[in-house]
Amino acid sequence: LWNKLGATQANGGKSKDAIRAYSKALQLKPNYVRALSNLGISFANQDMHKEACQSYLASLKLNSSADSVWDHLTMSLMHLNRSDLVELCKHRDVKYFKNHFDF
């Protein structure tokens, strides 16, 4: 329910409200992959790219085959001017990011 509310808020351009809703969803279900991914998108929409990367990586830790999340991670890393980490996305393995982000 909280993830759906967050999606509705995000689609309405209310990313700050969506972040709160996704966070509530994750309090109830910490390994909710879709909520983690959606939280990352809402962070990115607020230009909070470090937080977005952490959310994307937490999601990818649970489902590393999600190509769209790797794409979102790549975009946020580009916004952070981390071309070194963009290159690591090609490996599709979150272990390469453990020294750079908490997730």
Side-chain angles (χ1 to χ4, degrees):
L1 181 64
W2 286 104
N3 186 62
K4 282 188 178 189
L5 175 62
T8 300
Q9 292 169 328
N11 289 336
K14 297 179 179 179
S15 291
K16 285 183 182 180
D17 293 333
I19 288 169
R20 283 191 286 277
Y22 295 136
S23 296
K24 181 67 174 175
L26 290 164
Q27 286 175 358
L28 298 171
K29 190 175 177 184
N31 291 331
Y32 191 2
V33 175
R34 183 167 298 239
L36 285 164
S37 300
N38 289 343
L39 180 61
I41 293 167
S42 289
F43 278 137
N45 287 338
Q46 293 289 305
D47 289 324
M48 299 170 68
H49 292 285
K50 180 179 180 183
E51 293 84 353
C53 289
Q54 289 171 291
S55 293
Y56 296 142
L57 287 163
S59 174
L60 290 165
K61 184 177 176 182
L62 299 168
N63 179 17
S64 63
S65 65
D67 290 333
S68 63
V69 181
W70 283 108
D71 293 341
H72 287 298
L73 174 61
T74 300
M75 292 300 296
S76 281
L77 290 169
M78 289 166 61
H79 280 281
L80 293 172
N81 295 315
R82 293 300 307 263
S83 57
D84 57 325
L85 299 181
V86 168
E87 287 299 312
L88 295 178
C89 287
K90 295 175 184 175
H91 297 289
R92 298 292 202 249
D93 191 336
V94 297
K95 72 179 178 191
Y96 294 108
F97 298 91
K98 292 226 180 247
N99 293 331
H100 304 281
F101 295 99
D102 294 323
F103 59 95

